[in-house]
Amino acid sequence: QVQVVESGGGSVQTGESLRLSCTAPGFTYNTCGMGWYRQAAGKQPEWVSSISPHGATGYTDSVKGRFTISQDKATDTVYLQMNDLKPEDTALYSCKTDLAFSVDRVRCKGLFTAGRGTQVTVSS
């Protein structure tokens, strides 16, 4: 297993933007998809967005049109650009392999695990 490192969170006002980064040294973008997840205090974890090795993306309905996921294969980094942030986006954000967006699901299963996450706090 390889633990990823998430960063880029912070405290912002409603309507502002943040860009989260997820870096996994040795991450094999050719076969594994990556997903961002979030968990607000007292709530269940929620899938936010994912990207496949070939660039196909998916978003949960509440962030469509505001968040954009991308990847930089040269640096083994996946980004989540978050615009027009709302208080309901407040959560601990983490990333890990998303098998649904992976090409080689056998190889990717459990390969890259979430790190400590990065906290996003949006105040009104």
Side-chain angles (χ1 to χ4, degrees), residues 3-6 92-94 114-119:
Q3 191 173 58
V4 306
V5 177
E6 303 98 337
L92 181 67
Y93 286 70
S94 61
R116 298 178 62 181
T118 185
Q119 178 67 37

Side-chain angles (χ1 to χ4, degrees), residues 102-115:
S102 297
V103 175
D104 188 340
R105 297 184 180 185
V106 174
R107 181 183 184 190
C108 296
K109 185 177 181 181
L111 185 58
F112 294 93
T113 59

Side-chain angles (χ1 to χ4, degrees), residues 21-98:
S21 299
C22 170
T23 302
F27 192 96
T28 308
Y29 287 99
N30 288 332
T31 59
C32 299
M34 178 63 85
W36 281 99
Y37 302 80
R38 65 187 179 186
Q39 185 170 17
K43 295 187 177 180
Q44 292 294 315
E46 174 188 28
W47 171 73
V48 177
S49 178
S50 291
I51 188 166
S52 77
H54 305 301
T57 59
Y59 301 91
T60 192
D61 286 345
S62 64
V63 307
K64 286 181 180 177
R66 300 189 298 123
F67 291 11
T68 303
I69 191 170
S70 62
Q71 59 188 354
D72 183 344
K73 295 183 179 181
T75 60
D76 286 346
T77 302
V78 174
Y79 299 101
L80 186 67
Q81 177 66 43
M82 306 187 298
N83 298 328
D84 190 23
L85 283 162
K86 304 176 180 181
E88 50 264 42
D89 295 317
T90 295
L92 181 67
Y93 286 70
S94 61
C95 67
K96 62 181 179 180
T97 301
D98 187 338

